[in-house]
Amino acid sequence: MESTAGHARADKLKARLAAMAESEPAGPRVAESPIRLVRAPGRVNLIGEYTDVNEGWVLPAAIDREVWIAFQPWHRPEVELTSLELDQTLSFSFEALTPEHVGARPWIDYIAGTAWAMREAGLPIRGFRGLLTSTIPVGSGLSSSAAVEMAASWALADSQAPRPSPSAMALIAQRAENAYMGVQCGIMDQFASAAGSSGQALLIDCRRNESSLVPIPAELSLVVCDTRAPRDRLDASAYNVRRAECELGARLIGEREPGVRALRDVDVAMFERHRHLLPDNVAQRCEHIVCEDGRVMATVEALRTGDLAALGRLFAASHASLRDLFQVSSKELDILVDIAAGVPGVVASRMTGAGFGGCTVSLVRKGAEDNLVEAVRRDYPARTGLTPLVYVVQAADGAGEMEA
Ligand code: GLA
């Protein structure tokens, strides 16, 4: 279904770009090159929240909500891109790529940042003129920015040059986000967008930067519920604070335990031995991370054995920990999880991503998706005054170029 819709969208995008090129006064700007098309998916994280920035494990899936770029490479060291959703054309020159800006950044900077990070990594980049469209809601925690970066990495790459592995490309896009955009995110979003696989979740070891595929049982659907609660740039600073609290915890424990480089190296028993060394807020953040790593592994096992009851317990424990210890949930996220808990056919439900608003992810028995959709549409507005969005999503393939 989605791939038919996807192809129709792709054809429309290419036709629009071709029409744009034709309506321009003839000039040397666009090379006589064929229109190319790249896509990159958003992601939903099944479990393992904030563990990536502590060198631990995460279990996201790329989803069939995607960013597409139709483009024509040209010889100028410059990108000019039109966002269909925003009806806005922005551009940047490779000569003026600088990570030192402060303040709000326009959307084109995700592409500029990717160009900057690719160049820093020694990869050849090419300018292009193109059109961008997306079915990933912006700012709802489904990694639209990582998808833009991954799609951009395909459009900017010199197609003659060897392409780095998906995990290496994810690191480059993460650098764009960290150093260019100023958000100290981990590797999960870019990695999932780069390396996802249809029908599967991705177990990522965020220290080794390696992954393995974990099939999602065929009897389960993924349902994403968006709180639609407003989020803003404050999220980025709260995110960076959480990350710093975890790093402080690892440093304080590491003063007594020489093998500890990150919270990944701390197990529950070791944490309990040293809890008294940590300020209360730091101890709470660390407790979440130390236990969440274990929940990721237990979830992989439960998916492999089809233990649906265990999935329910693990998601519930993760949500409670993010709410009470890590303190990144919100009233709206808690309400969505509460609604899901009473719906027949819902196996597991929790907040997903960085929190402070955004979405929940639920595992739902196939055929029961509408139960959840209806319950959320009925009960959530009454309890919050907000109108939710609910998506049934499929685990999708990672980013790439579409065949001509
Ligand atoms: C955001 C970041 C990820 C990860 C999650 C929380 O999505 O970009 O790297 O840390 O938050 O799990």
Side-chain angles (χ1 to χ4, degrees):
M1 289 294 289
E2 174 59 27
S3 77
T4 317
H7 281 110
R9 183 146 26 93
D11 289 344
K12 244 167 88 184
L13 205 59
K14 282 172 136 180
R16 269 224 31 200
L17 187 60
M20 260 168 76
E22 268 166 30
S23 70
E24 260 185 3
R29 295 217 313 159
V30 179
E32 279 295 301
S33 51
I35 293 175
R36 290 165 53 194
L37 193 67
V38 292
R39 58 163 277 284
R43 66 96 188 94
V44 65
N45 189 21
L46 299 190
I47 199 161
E49 231 55 90
Y50 287 84
T51 41
D52 63 346
V53 286
N54 290 287
E55 301 187 21
W57 292 266
V58 289
L59 189 66
I63 57 174
D64 55 354
R65 291 269 159 172
E66 303 171 321
V67 166
W68 298 67
I69 299 177
F71 66 102
Q72 282 178 296
W74 60 15
H75 296 297
R76 300 167 62 144
E78 195 179 303
V79 168
E80 182 187 290
L81 196 58
T82 301
S83 156
L84 283 189
E85 281 72 36
L86 300 175
D87 192 21
Q88 187 183 44
T89 301
L90 295 175
S91 60
F92 65 89
S93 158
F94 293 168
E95 275 134 31
L97 293 173
T98 153
E100 276 117 38
H101 298 209
V102 283
R105 283 182 166 276
W107 57 268
I108 192 80
D109 276 9
Y110 287 103
I111 291 120
T114 306
W116 170 82
M118 287 172 77
R119 213 175 50 185
E120 290 281 298
L123 296 177
I125 52 174
R126 290 200 62 180
F128 63 84
R129 188 267 293 277
L131 281 178
L132 178 146
T133 185
S134 171
T135 54
I136 311 172
V138 172
S140 62
L142 298 177
S143 298
S144 59
S145 62
V148 168
E149 289 153 5
M150 291 318 304
S153 78
W154 279 89
L156 286 160
D158 180 341
S159 54
Q160 308 303 316
R163 187 169 171 88
S165 67
S167 60
M169 200 45 120
L171 278 177
I172 292 169
Q174 182 200 12
R175 177 129 197 258
E177 191 91 39
N178 290 171
Y180 205 91
M181 305 305 288
V183 180
Q184 299 308 312
C185 70
I187 192 65
M188 170 167 70
D189 308 344
Q190 290 78 9
F191 202 131
S193 184
S197 176
S198 168
Q200 324 227 36
L202 202 60
L203 173 64
I204 306 172
D205 178 330
C206 301
R207 170 171 283 168
R208 300 207 163 85
N209 212 28
E210 289 167 2
S211 67
S212 55
L213 295 172
V214 180
I216 299 172
E219 68 199 284
L220 295 180
S221 282
L222 298 176
V223 182
V224 172
C225 299
D226 187 344
T227 58
R228 308 286 306 292
R231 305 167 93 203
D232 57 30
R233 287 285 295 178
L234 268 185
D235 304 344
S237 51
Y239 182 95
N240 293 351
V241 168
R242 289 296 179 286
R243 184 171 180 168
E245 288 169 333
C246 292
E247 282 164 3
L248 174 62
R251 204 164 58 242
L252 292 173
I253 296 173
E255 283 169 8
R256 304 289 172 91
E257 303 274 356
V260 170
R261 201 172 89 198
L263 289 180
R264 175 204 179 105
D265 304 309
V266 179
D267 63 19
V268 176
M270 187 193 286
F271 167 72
E272 291 301 345
R273 277 204 305 282
H274 300 297
R275 178 196 276 272
H276 68 278
L277 299 172
L278 310 176
D280 285 349
N281 62 326
V282 173
Q284 287 183 316
R285 311 300 183 244
C286 294
E287 184 177 347
H288 164 74
I289 298 296
V290 166
C291 298
E292 185 85 345
D293 271 332
R295 284 189 287 264
V296 173
M297 293 312 173
T299 299
V300 169
E301 187 57 24
L303 286 170
R304 289 202 166 122
T305 57
D307 187 344
L308 305 189
L311 290 174
R313 286 193 299 273
L314 290 159
F315 273 43
S318 172
H319 185 82
S321 175
L322 287 159
R323 181 190 62 213
D324 302 336
L325 297 175
F326 216 71
Q327 297 180 329
V328 293
S329 187
S330 67
K331 184 185 97 191
E332 292 83 7
L333 288 166
D334 296 345
I335 288 173
L336 281 175
V337 168
D338 187 51
I339 293 171
V343 174
V346 173
V347 166
S349 189
R350 54 180 289 278
M351 60 154 275
T352 184
F356 312 106
C359 295
T360 62
V361 60
S362 303
L363 302 176
V364 181
R365 282 185 198 274
K366 283 244 158 74
E369 300 90 342
D370 284 348
N371 296 347
L372 180 58
V373 174
E374 279 158 26
V376 168
R377 288 201 182 134
R378 186 186 60 231
D379 297 346
Y380 182 78
R383 291 175 67 177
T384 61
L386 296 167
T387 307
L389 281 175
V390 188
Y391 317 97
V392 180
V393 299
Q394 315 278 339
D397 285 336
E401 178 155 0
M402 308 298 287
E403 293 301 316

